Amino acid sequence: MQRPLAEVFTWPHDTPQLIGSRCGDCAATTFPAQSRCPRCGRSSMAELLLPRRGRLVAWTTQGFVPKLPYAGSDKADGFTPFGVGLVQLDDVIRVESRLTENDPAKLAFDMEMELSIVPFYVDDAGDEVMTFAFAPVSESTGSTGSTDTDGR
């Protein structure tokens, strides 16, 4: 069985999207969704499904196991580095995310990226916990948003 890490994306879904929010008073957009606006402080936030595609603005590689409270099951001896990037989703918002590509030489400024749902870890009940990541469009072209078992 699979389950999402958090309720921040539509899944299972053929074309998953991140779930953000937009303020009805000042139009500020947030991800993840928030109940109060960080700009004006009002509580007129409404759910907003964010674009699936965007452009890579900045990136790095996480080369060591993150410090606790890290939810993944990676240990230092079997850890696989993963990419982390900042993706601009149209003119809406920038989102920090895992990337399916961890080789910086294969990433480029303004590269088109697409949302993908990937395995994160297996929990104590044996369920595969899924998270979101962005994949270079050349990697994800033709994908339906289904599980990408190549990326981390």
Side-chain angles (χ1 to χ4, degrees), residues 2 9-18 52-53 100 114-119 130-135 137 139-149:
Q2 294 178 324
F9 53 90
T10 58
W11 188 82
H13 197 280
D14 287 343
T15 54
Q17 290 178 266
L18 297 177
R52 291 182 37 76
R53 286 193 174 192
T100 60
E114 183 173 37
L115 183 67
S116 182
I117 305 302
V118 298
M130 309 300 285
T131 192
F132 68 92
F134 279 88
V137 167
E139 248 185 58
S140 62
T141 301
S143 76
T144 62
S146 59
T147 303
D148 173 4
T149 56

Side-chain angles (χ1 to χ4, degrees), residues 60-95:
T60 191
T61 300
Q62 176 71 34
F64 55 89
V65 179
K67 304 274 185 226
L68 293 175
Y70 175 62
S73 56
D74 297 316
K75 304 292 182 233
D77 58 343
F79 178 72
T80 302
F82 58 89
V84 178
L86 191 59
V87 179
Q88 177 71 45
L89 302 178
D90 292 337
D91 290 335
V92 179
I93 194 169
R94 286 185 178 179
V95 174

Side-chain angles (χ1 to χ4, degrees), residues 93-137:
I93 194 169
R94 286 185 178 179
V95 174
E96 183 178 344
S97 173
R98 270 188 180 238
L99 303 176
T100 60
E101 179 58 63
N102 66 359
D103 182 354
K106 294 181 180 177
L107 299 168
F109 180 75
D110 206 35
M111 172 182 273
E112 191 172 13
M113 307 295 281
E114 183 173 37
L115 183 67
S116 182
I117 305 302
V118 298
F120 186 43
Y121 68 95
V122 176
D123 67 15
D124 293 338
D127 293 338
E128 187 172 41
V129 178
M130 309 300 285
T131 192
F132 68 92
F134 279 88
V137 167

Side-chain angles (χ1 to χ4, degrees), residues 40-63:
C40 71
R42 295 191 175 102
S43 59
S44 59
M45 300 296 282
E47 184 176 287
L48 174 69
L49 295 179
L50 300 175
R52 291 182 37 76
R53 286 193 174 192
R55 299 279 179 182
L56 188 62
V57 176
W59 63 93
T60 191
T61 300
Q62 176 71 34

